[in-house]
Amino acid sequence: MQLLPPTASAHAADMDWLFAALIGTSAFILLLVFGLMIGFCVRYRKGSKVERGNRLGRTWRVETAWTVATFIGFLGLYFWGADLYVGIHSPPKDATDIYVVGKQWMWKIEHPGGQREIDTLHVPVGKPVRLVLTSQDVIHDFAIPAFRVRQDAVPGRYEALWFTPTKVGEYRLFCAEFCGTWHARMGGSVVVMEPSDFQRWLDSQDPGPSLAQEGEALFRSYGCSGCHGTASTVHAPKLEGLFGRPVPLQDGRTVIADDRYIRDSILKPKSEIAAGYPPVMPSFAGQIGEDDLLKLVAYIKSLADKTAENSQTGQSAGQSQAGSSAGSAERPAQ
């Protein structure tokens, strides 16, 4: 009989140690308190002839030491847990984004290359993976016990969950939030594969267009390119290089153009108006489903990636040209 699920992610062991420390500390205090209570009941029982005078004068050092030791112990657990919490909510920049939509009663999963899955998630071992979660109807909760991770999928919001699988195998995933009559059946599996096997699996699927390519088509069909396209003459924010950058707002705040900001700008464009632009964009709430929103976000994100790639290519070309010029300058005149 296995008390705990397998340990199959990079921070699963840290979670186990923190859990064990919390249980151990709590058990120690529980046993100490009840042990002393039972001991005092026996020692100071009715009819016992032990000394009962000046108890406060003799025990204040014990009380102080006990209080300080307990405070320091639980403060240490708090900082340990806080450090682990920050770590499991700070995905590395090279994490692969996979989009997950929860709905009664299934998990719809889309890979960046356009591969789609239902209730099954294929990932490579040793590679960080970031899940972008949302829900199409009610609150769900994406939980993988073997990875010691779980995250709510909330309607109208994007939530992120990341992990690095460390062991090849197949692990159960659950919905850990009661979401309706068939909640118990809303589960599936996570298949962790060697990178080469994972690549073969990706190649064997029928990817069709990637999420970004589908998002680009939607970008045109919904008329977004009329204002935000590169050839547009409308005074609207340009989207190339926008994703991941700080955006000054009219109210003086500055926000990061992440998944949430892009989504809210589409559905609630007047909630966070970019500084220097008139609030003329209409809301697309009720017109675009969650699947299409994910594709639009993926397309806008790809514009940032292309900008970075072009920048690197330009730098490389510049360095190459500079090197060539330098080489020419070093060559003696014919």
Side-chain angles (χ1 to χ4, degrees):
M1 178 179 178
Q2 189 173 14
L3 295 178
L4 293 175
T7 302
S9 74
H11 52 252
D14 295 333
M15 292 291 291
D16 288 347
W17 279 113
L18 176 62
F19 182 69
L22 184 61
I23 293 295
T25 304
S26 301
F28 170 74
I29 294 174
L30 182 69
L31 292 175
L32 181 63
V33 169
F34 276 85
L36 289 174
M37 186 173 65
I38 294 172
F40 290 156
C41 288
V42 174
R43 179 176 174 83
Y44 296 102
R45 67 187 183 280
K46 184 179 180 181
S48 173
K49 296 180 180 178
V50 297
E51 174 61 38
R52 291 182 169 82
N54 193 25
R55 282 171 294 175
L56 291 178
R58 293 201 302 267
T59 62
W60 71 269
R61 292 182 179 83
V62 176
E63 291 287 347
T64 302
W66 160 253
T67 303
V68 171
T70 306
F71 174 75
I72 292 175
F74 279 101
L75 193 63
L77 288 173
Y78 167 77
F79 282 112
W80 185 2
D83 179 66
L84 186 55
Y85 178 87
V86 172
I88 63 177
H89 286 83
S90 303
K93 291 183 179 179
D94 61 342
T96 301
D97 282 349
I98 297 177
Y99 296 90
V100 180
V101 178
K103 61 181 293 186
Q104 292 173 325
W105 286 269
M106 67 172 68
W107 297 105
K108 296 175 65 178
I109 298 165
E110 297 191 56
H111 293 260
Q115 296 85 355
R116 295 169 175 79
E117 303 183 77
I118 299 291
D119 291 340
T120 302
L121 171 62
H122 287 77
V123 292
V125 66
K127 304 290 185 183
V129 174
R130 175 176 175 262
L131 304 182
V132 180
L133 300 160
T134 189
S135 171
Q136 192 168 308
D137 37 46
V138 300
I139 298 176
H140 301 282
D141 189 290
F142 195 91
I144 312 172
F147 296 173
R148 310 294 192 272
V149 293
R150 55 176 291 181
Q151 177 64 54
D152 281 350
V154 183
R157 292 176 55 179
Y158 286 147
E159 303 288 349
L161 169 69
W162 83 274
F163 52 81
T164 301
T166 56
K167 292 181 181 177
V168 173
E170 184 170 344
Y171 308 97
R172 295 292 306 276
L173 73 85
F174 300 93
C175 176
E177 185 80 31
F178 180 71
C179 57
T181 307
W182 298 107
H183 155 73
R185 296 187 179 182
M186 188 174 173
S189 60
V190 179
V191 182
V192 181
M193 313 172 76
E194 293 289 350
S196 56
D197 295 335
F198 176 70
Q199 188 59 50
R200 278 194 289 273
W201 176 84
L202 286 177
D203 296 339
S204 68
Q205 303 302 304
D206 181 18
S210 68
L211 282 182
Q213 290 170 333
E214 289 185 292
E216 184 177 9
L218 292 171
F219 189 75
R220 294 195 181 92
S221 66
Y222 281 111
C224 310
S225 57
C227 295
H228 297 282
T230 54
S232 172
T233 57
V234 177
H235 183 57
K238 300 304 179 186
L239 304 182
E240 289 77 10
L242 171 68
F243 195 91
R245 298 284 183 83
V247 178
L249 303 180
Q250 281 192 1
D251 59 8
R253 293 182 295 132
T254 298
V255 298
I256 299 297
D258 55 7
D259 305 74
R260 180 209 62 81
Y261 174 76
I262 301 299
R263 186 183 193 282
D264 288 352
S265 297
I266 296 172
L267 301 183
K268 298 180 290 184
K270 292 181 174 55
S271 62
E272 293 176 319
I273 303 170
Y277 296 94
V280 296
M281 178 172 165
S283 170
F284 285 82
Q287 303 179 48
I288 304 179
E290 290 295 341
D291 290 351
D292 287 350
L293 280 170
L294 290 175
K295 295 168 186 172
L296 284 169
V297 172
Y299 170 62
I300 295 172
K301 184 177 180 180
S302 73
L303 296 179
D305 297 337
K306 288 179 181 176
T307 302
E309 291 173 0
N310 292 337
S311 176
Q312 292 178 354
T313 303
Q315 290 178 358
S316 300
Q319 292 172 354
S320 175
Q321 185 175 4
S324 176
S325 300
S328 300
E330 291 171 356
R331 285 195 295 271
Q334 299 295 319

